[in-house]
Amino acid sequence: MPEIVHVSLPGRAYDVRIGPGLIADAGRHIAPFLRRPKVAVISDKTVAGLHLQALKDGLATAGIEATELLLPAGEATKSWGPLEQSVEWLLDQKIERGDIVVAFGGGVIGDLVGFAAAVLRRGVRFVQIPTSLLAQVDSSVGGKTGINAPQGKNLIGAFHQPTLVLADTAVLGTLTARDFLAGYGEVVKYGLLGDADFFEWLEVNGPALAAGDMEARVEAVRRSVQMKADIVERDETEQGDRALLNLGHTFGHALEAATGYSDRLLHGEGVAIGCALAYELSARMGLCSQESPSRVRAHLKAMRMKTDLSDIPGDLPDAATLLGLMGQDKKVVQGQLRFILTRGIGEAFVTGDVPGDAVLSVLEDALRT
Ligand code: GLY
């Protein structure tokens, strides 16, 4: 039996089901939501090469026919062209209001397909089948959908909650170690933002789950998703608490922008380094003891993750330029940067009250080490 986290949004409640083998069993899970035995699946070519046949077989065992559109893998797919292609393909497939669209892939596919479902016929239902760790613990849950703009990431989109999320933890075994650890950056974030016990659990169990321990993987995904669900239930559209999920992201997005959103730094890697910097900034501002950032860095290093700016290959711009890149972040409110700072492990809070000088000095020191 899969683990289940229920997201209790009024009128838009859904389950996140977590465990190995859910793709093979997808038909049984999705069938109760269908008005006719047909789904449209949108995936990327890499995921499809590895797992599409298993999904189609899993749907077929419940008598569900699937048609599929395969898009190129990679962040460039989160843009207007593939969105237009997806929506027009769904219309060609005669997908109606009562049908279900399946987003089968990582965060790029989940965000794009969720947005296509949000705008198609003013909104059709969709099921997320996330295949990366990052998508399983973060982007498939909570209803943020969208694409990137030339002006920045995720600037075009809609809140559109899925009808069901199937997080098959067995597919995590096909990720590269680097992609797995990048997703793990988001897992660590949950412990750091709101659950010191979970962080402690990760300090003990992180190496085993990275090595493939399935029970530990399911538990890490379950606890992460439960925390996300709790936050999304309190604040679906990010008027307040949901911003906590952006711990590490203000620094992380600036680093991603500075590295051209390239292979030099994956999103989850930027988040991990960003968490370490957010803790450092919090300690410098006297909000937490120096022990907290040291513990964060020690865990990232123990997991062999990118931890410091020097772990990013190639040159980085100077601290002032990085600070400027933070100003482009979508979390700017009335020109004021919103940071997620912390009073200790698991005690993050949102603030707009951060002196630019303090950020600058953290970045200058980080660039020197
Ligand atoms: N990934 C942050 C959020 O869903 O709010």
Side-chain angles (χ1 to χ4, degrees):
M1 286 294 283
E3 295 286 337
I4 297 179
V5 174
H6 190 65
V7 185
S8 311
L9 289 167
R12 298 177 307 294
Y14 56 95
D15 278 354
V16 182
R17 299 185 190 157
I18 302 155
L22 285 170
I23 288 175
D25 217 11
R28 191 171 65 79
H29 289 280
I30 294 175
F33 299 99
L34 297 179
R35 295 190 190 152
R36 56 176 171 162
K38 175 182 168 167
V39 292
V41 178
I42 302 183
S43 187
D44 73 43
K45 290 176 183 160
T46 306
V47 168
L50 291 165
H51 306 297
L52 183 62
Q53 195 53 52
L55 176 62
K56 290 185 83 160
D57 291 347
L59 292 165
T61 53
I64 301 167
E65 183 199 331
T67 48
E68 69 268 358
L69 172 67
L70 306 184
L71 298 169
E75 190 72 26
T77 290
K78 246 177 84 169
S79 57
W80 287 115
L83 177 71
E84 186 180 0
Q85 189 187 351
S86 301
V87 169
E88 292 189 357
W89 178 78
L90 289 167
L91 290 171
D92 287 344
Q93 300 305 305
K94 310 222 175 337
I95 294 302
E96 300 169 2
R97 266 278 182 79
D99 289 328
I100 292 237
V101 177
V102 176
F104 186 43
V108 166
I109 286 293
D111 286 6
L112 172 87
V113 177
F115 190 34
V119 297
L120 185 77
R121 300 184 192 275
R122 299 199 178 90
V124 300
R125 295 170 305 154
F126 77 116
V127 169
Q128 290 268 23
I129 306 186
T131 56
S132 68
L133 180 58
L134 187 138
Q136 293 193 353
V137 298
D138 182 28
S139 56
S140 68
V141 180
K144 278 190 181 175
T145 72
I147 57 172
N148 301 326
Q151 289 83 350
K153 282 182 77 171
N154 297 324
L155 292 180
I156 303 155
F159 286 99
H160 187 51
Q161 299 293 341
T163 293
L164 175 70
V165 182
L166 297 177
D168 185 338
T169 46
V171 299
L172 301 177
T174 60
L175 297 176
T176 63
R178 185 179 179 197
D179 281 331
F180 184 90
L181 287 178
Y184 185 79
E186 296 277 1
V187 175
V188 172
K189 176 196 81 177
Y190 287 107
L192 294 179
L193 77 87
D195 189 344
D197 287 347
F198 183 39
F199 183 72
E200 212 173 306
W201 184 89
L202 291 171
E203 286 177 315
V204 174
N205 294 284
L209 79 88
D213 181 323
M214 188 57 74
E215 219 175 294
R217 285 183 173 191
V218 172
E219 180 62 0
V221 174
R222 186 192 67 77
R223 288 178 83 155
S224 300
V225 169
Q226 184 64 63
M227 192 178 309
K228 179 146 189 186
D230 292 344
I231 291 173
V232 167
E233 283 165 14
R234 291 204 297 275
D235 177 24
E236 184 181 6
T237 57
E238 202 168 315
Q239 307 304 309
D241 267 11
R242 186 164 179 164
L244 291 170
L245 296 169
N246 295 323
L247 175 63
H249 284 60
T250 308
F251 283 109
H253 280 162
L255 295 171
E256 280 184 276
T259 49
Y261 299 100
S262 69
D263 199 38
R264 282 174 64 198
L265 186 72
L266 304 178
H267 174 71
E269 294 173 334
V271 169
I273 296 174
C275 284
L277 290 171
Y279 266 77
E280 185 61 40
L281 176 59
S282 303
R284 299 268 182 108
M285 290 174 68
L287 294 164
C288 67
S289 72
Q290 187 57 42
E291 193 206 330
S292 296
S294 301
R295 207 171 142 195
V296 175
R297 291 182 67 255
H299 182 53
L300 299 181
K301 281 193 176 299
M303 294 296 291
R304 299 173 189 274
M305 293 165 71
K306 288 193 172 67
T307 307
D308 300 312
L309 297 190
S310 57
D311 294 328
I312 303 171
D315 291 335
L316 287 172
D318 62 16
T321 309
L322 285 173
L323 185 61
L325 288 170
M326 289 182 181
Q328 308 294 320
D329 194 280
K330 73 177 185 307
K331 290 175 289 301
V332 174
V333 177
Q334 290 173 352
Q336 182 92 11
L337 262 179
R338 265 194 309 165
F339 267 91
I340 318 304
L341 296 181
T342 177
R343 297 190 179 88
I345 303 288
E347 293 181 68
F349 62 97
V350 186
T351 177
D353 192 16
V354 180
D357 284 356
V359 184
L360 203 59
S361 101
V362 165
L363 286 169
E364 278 165 352
D365 289 351
L367 282 163
R368 266 197 288 272
T369 50

